Amino acid sequence: MRLNVEVPDTQYWKEQIKCQNACPVHTDARGYVRAIANGNFEEAYLIARAPNPLASICGRVCGAPCEAACRRGSIDQSISIRALKRSAAEEGFPPELKEPLALIQRIRETLQNRMCAGPEDLGGISEFMDKHKSRKVKGKSVGIIGSGPAGLAAAHDLALMGFSVVIYEMESVPAGMLYLGVPAYRLPREIIEAEVGVIQALGVQIQTNCTVGKDVSFEELRKRHEAVVIAVGCKKSRRVPIPGSDAEGVFGGVEFLRQVALKEPHCIGKKVVVIGGGNVAYDVARTALRRQQMDILGTLRREEVGVEATLCCLERRDQMLADEIEILEGEEEGVKRVNGYGPQRILTENGKVRGVVFHKVISIFDENKRFNPKFDPKDELVLEADTVLMAIGQSSDISFIQPEKHGIKLNERGMIVCDPQTQETTADGVFLAGDLAHGPKLMIDAIASGKSAARSIYQKLTGEKLAFEIVELHIPIEQYGREMGYEKLKRQALAVAPVEQRISDTHALVEKGFTCSQAKVEGSRCLDCGVNTVFDGNRCILCGACADVCPELCLKLVPVAELSGDKNFEDLTNIVREQKRTSELTAIIKDEEKCIRCALCAIRCPADAITMERYSFQECLM
């Protein structure tokens, strides 16, 4: 059986930087992690902020697809990238750049210093618009419905392009689910306000307490603006259609979080059952305990009055959708957990909740992998409750849309149809962003979607297609070296506040973040995947010393006859055969997943056929 190999090209080298490749807005996580390792927190912040208008927020609550992709994770544990982004924001924000426009200018000025700048880089957009002033938009406006991460990101980039932007937000505060759905113990409100403030400083207007369909019609918005972006997100809790679900004491989990965030009256009893097993379910359960602590206990201990919050979900413990840290911290705070049971009916007395009946789960999906849970009625569990909070998913409220009247097509599930590339709906000049465009995903996906919608609107209203060109370099590294023992360092654990302190106050932060010294150590664990071992076939003497010295056994000398690949591989092989005038060729192949960039192969090579080179690129508007 032949080994399948790949000949490196531009895409190959970019994909080697796995964290950046996995980020929906192409943040050079490797860049800011290595900057922190070198003690340069300001540089780290500028790298993190360049493609992401909500970088400080992402440092607290991002789902971190970069961490999931991190190559270090295949060796031991991935780099704590999200926490390092928080360190960059906290330690590296330049005090002299508190004026938002000064911050934007600094990011633009430092564009050329960034090693791996993707197409989302703010500096590139700003530089392009200033260089081509004739292409900067004037006199055109865009209305955005919803001020969540997708709406804010769209507004940010549209403002940079010269559009007049107005965001219409139905709530009394901007930021959507960032403010209303993420508990304050995870995301301080002043951070949200600071990021929103930068976007407003660009000229974006945010009209709060303005519900489309009530305070202003959708038709009116289309008259006011050349384009409209619908970015309302998923703010309605889905309900389990079981008997008793309309009883007094049954609430949606998202609605409960909203009430707490806005300090609105809400009634939570002493025995709370949360239905669901994702991160939102844990946000709901943990917030419920905190509200009970404040509303019921005062200075008393929770155990003394029997306050309980129990989370019950269909999945087994190892199948749960919630992040592991959410589950563990929830347990520390007193959230009880029941796995493998599904709700069947809510017991009531005089119209009020008194309990929930669950049955044991037999299976969750059918043979076609569709959600279709089956239960064993003989295995019944009854949980006493005076409050039931449902957190099994969310849906969008698009009641302001009249499909036939507005020319907007809906699919069989009642969702708005849009072009997957441009995000434009069937109504001319109406675009989607965030959850409505791609379904519920991570916050960083919503940010990317908002930025994508901004580019589509630019092209729609100007007739100018935004094209990108890539400039790349492979730079030999003189005297390459790494931190002593970097390959043995264990992932740094984040400090957290004591449990009693956490549950006594809804605003008490759970996660403390890294100290500067801890952040530098964690950053030094990064394998720096922008660095590559490059082999010179004309110098190589096929001695095999590189393979012998490799500590990860990622190099191998293999006869070309035992390899296969695409057309690039075949073309390269034919060229080398003609040059060498032989069909008996040998290749050095490398398992990139195992390489730790230690440079021992380059040091050992007696023919100086191996160099350590940094791959650098800028993807710029043209």
Side-chain angles (χ1 to χ4, degrees):
M1 182 177 178
R2 292 189 174 192
L3 291 170
N4 189 53
V5 296
E6 185 178 357
V7 177
D9 57 10
T10 295
Q11 192 59 30
Y12 178 92
W13 297 121
K14 287 177 66 178
E15 289 178 357
Q16 289 313 301
I17 310 172
K18 298 182 71 174
C19 52
Q20 184 172 23
N21 190 58
C23 177
V25 298
H26 309 105
T27 304
D28 181 15
R30 176 217 58 83
Y32 70 73
V33 168
R34 290 303 304 161
I36 289 173
N38 294 327
N40 195 333
F41 287 85
E42 180 176 329
E43 179 186 353
Y45 173 73
L46 294 173
I47 292 171
R49 174 60 178 82
N52 185 352
L54 304 179
S56 298
I57 293 173
C58 285
R60 302 283 184 148
V61 296
C62 185
C66 51
E67 283 192 32
C70 176
R71 182 175 279 109
R72 181 79 195 221
S74 64
I75 297 173
D76 43 36
Q77 288 182 291
S78 61
I79 308 301
S80 190
I81 299 175
R82 180 192 58 77
L84 289 177
K85 180 175 287 186
R86 171 179 172 178
S87 295
E90 290 182 337
E91 305 294 339
F93 185 86
E96 68 272 18
L97 299 184
K98 287 186 178 180
E99 168 57 43
L101 296 183
L103 170 62
I104 300 297
Q105 182 61 25
R106 174 69 69 84
I107 292 173
R108 177 186 166 183
E109 291 170 349
T110 55
L111 172 64
Q112 299 306 319
N113 297 335
R114 289 191 275 285
M115 297 300 296
C116 299
E120 307 295 343
D121 195 292
L122 179 157
I125 299 171
S126 180
E127 186 177 79
F128 174 83
M129 291 299 166
D130 278 1
K131 187 180 294 184
H132 304 277
K133 293 185 182 296
S134 62
R135 296 180 66 174
K136 193 165 185 176
V137 181
K138 293 181 180 178
K140 295 184 184 294
S141 69
V142 179
I144 299 175
I145 306 173
S147 66
L152 290 173
H156 176 272
D157 281 17
L158 286 166
L160 287 176
M161 294 173 182
F163 288 95
S164 171
V165 184
V166 181
I167 298 178
Y168 301 89
E169 171 57 55
M170 66 182 295
E171 301 290 356
S172 59
V173 293
M177 292 302 290
L178 293 175
Y179 196 103
L180 304 176
V182 182
Y185 64 78
R186 292 176 59 201
L187 179 59
R189 281 14 190 173
E190 59 268 23
I191 291 179
I192 300 175
E193 292 162 2
E195 295 286 42
V196 172
V198 173
I199 295 170
Q200 289 177 304
L202 293 174
V204 175
Q205 299 179 48
I206 303 179
Q207 295 186 12
T208 55
N209 294 309
C210 183
T211 302
V212 177
K214 177 184 175 183
D215 300 305
V216 61
S217 69
F218 187 65
E219 296 94 323
E220 176 59 28
L221 289 192
R222 295 189 70 186
K223 291 177 182 177
R224 291 180 187 176
H225 307 285
E226 278 79 9
V228 173
V229 181
I230 306 176
V232 297
C234 294
K235 295 172 62 177
K236 291 172 58 180
S237 294
R238 294 186 185 277
R239 295 293 187 107
V240 185
I242 56 176
S245 60
D246 58 349
E248 183 180 338
V250 180
F251 307 103
V254 171
E255 287 77 7
F256 166 65
L257 292 175
R258 174 190 173 278
Q259 290 176 327
V260 172
L262 296 177
K263 299 179 181 179
E264 294 181 353
H266 53 276
C267 183
I268 297 295
K270 295 183 179 181
K271 290 189 179 294
V272 177
V273 169
V274 177
I275 298 174
N279 286 336
V280 174
Y282 269 97
D283 283 344
V284 169
R286 296 172 69 183
T287 299
L289 280 179
R290 284 161 169 75
R291 296 310 299 172
Q292 290 170 329
Q293 181 85 348
M294 294 179 68
D295 297 343
I296 299 172
L297 304 185
T299 59
L300 297 177
R301 290 164 57 89
R302 185 170 64 249
E303 309 88 69
E304 294 173 353
V305 292
V307 173
E308 296 179 1
T310 303
L311 182 146
C312 193
C313 64
L314 301 175
E315 298 83 7
R316 300 191 311 266
R317 172 67 173 80
D318 62 334
Q319 296 174 320
M320 291 182 70
L321 300 176
D323 294 338
E324 185 68 15
I325 190 65
E326 287 286 333
I327 299 171
L328 295 177
E329 289 180 354
E331 289 177 350
E332 290 176 349
E333 293 168 8
V335 176
K336 297 180 179 179
R337 174 171 42 79
V338 176
N339 291 99
Y341 280 84
Q344 304 302 308
R345 62 185 183 278
I346 294 175
L347 303 176
T348 62
E349 186 174 314
N350 298 323
K352 298 181 179 180
V353 172
R354 66 176 182 85
V356 186
V357 176
F358 295 87
H359 286 171
K360 182 71 175 178
V361 173
I362 298 174
S363 63
I364 298 176
F365 300 96
D366 61 21
E367 60 276 8
N368 296 317
K369 307 297 182 183
R370 292 177 300 192
F371 181 75
N372 187 19
K374 303 294 183 185
F375 305 97
D376 181 1
K378 296 179 182 178
D379 190 341
E380 185 173 277
L381 171 70
V382 179
L383 295 179
E384 184 181 349
D386 53 20
T387 305
V388 175
L389 296 170
M390 294 195 179
I392 61 166
Q394 294 123 252
S395 61
S396 300
D397 182 359
I398 54 172
S399 57
F400 58 87
I401 295 293
Q402 299 177 44
E404 292 186 7
K405 180 179 180 180
H406 299 143
I408 293 179
K409 183 180 179 181
L410 305 183
N411 62 20
E412 63 280 358
R413 297 175 56 201
M415 303 302 294
I416 301 174
V417 174
C418 74
D419 183 308
Q421 299 301 317
T422 66
Q423 297 171 217
E424 186 173 15
T425 69
T426 51
D428 187 51
V430 177
F431 296 78
L432 303 184
D435 293 341
L436 280 184
H438 49 56
K441 288 187 178 181
L442 300 175
M443 176 182 71
I444 192 65
D445 289 294
I447 293 171
S449 176
K451 293 169 74 69
S452 175
R455 283 155 178 70
S456 293
I457 290 170
Y458 178 89
Q459 293 179 182
K460 173 82 174 182
L461 299 187
T462 65
E464 299 275 359
K465 185 171 178 61
L466 290 173
F468 296 87
E469 64 177 354
I470 185 168
V471 178
E472 58 181 347
L473 294 171
H474 293 268
I475 307 169
I477 304 173
E478 300 294 335
Q479 298 181 330
Y480 175 80
R482 285 302 311 261
E483 297 86 352
M484 183 69 70
Y486 75 101
E487 77 283 6
K488 298 176 183 177
L489 292 172
K490 301 300 180 184
R491 179 173 165 126
Q492 302 282 296
L494 282 166
V496 294
V499 172
E500 290 303 319
Q501 179 183 334
R502 279 147 52 176
I503 63 175
S504 65
D505 181 3
T506 55
H507 290 78
L509 290 174
V510 173
E511 193 176 278
K512 288 184 174 293
F514 290 132
T515 64
C516 286
S517 59
Q518 286 175 324
K520 289 172 67 175
V521 171
E522 183 63 21
S524 69
R525 295 180 64 239
C526 172
L527 300 179
D528 200 354
C529 299
V531 173
N532 299 283
T533 48
V534 178
F535 300 82
D536 185 342
N538 292 320
R539 289 190 173 191
C540 179
I541 59 176
L542 298 176
C543 65
C546 56
D548 291 340
V549 78
C550 177
E552 302 301 322
L553 304 178
C554 67
L555 296 175
K556 185 184 294 187
L557 273 67
V558 181
V560 170
E562 297 179 11
L563 304 177
S564 65
D566 59 12
K567 189 176 184 301
N568 288 336
F569 171 75
E570 293 175 0
D571 291 345
L572 178 63
T573 301
N574 291 333
I575 291 171
V576 176
R577 279 180 178 142
E578 290 180 9
Q579 291 176 342
K580 302 288 186 182
R581 297 175 182 267
T582 178
S583 60
E584 300 298 322
L585 299 176
T586 299
I588 298 176
I589 62 173
K590 176 185 174 187
D591 185 344
E592 293 283 12
E593 201 64 23
K594 293 180 179 179
C595 180
I596 61 172
R597 277 69 179 168
C598 64
L600 287 179
C601 57
I603 295 170
R604 178 69 178 83
C605 180
D608 290 330
I610 305 174
T611 54
M612 304 301 292
E613 298 186 6
R614 178 171 298 285
Y615 177 67
S616 175
F617 72 90
Q618 284 196 0
E619 213 163 342
C620 305
L621 285 164
M622 56 180 291

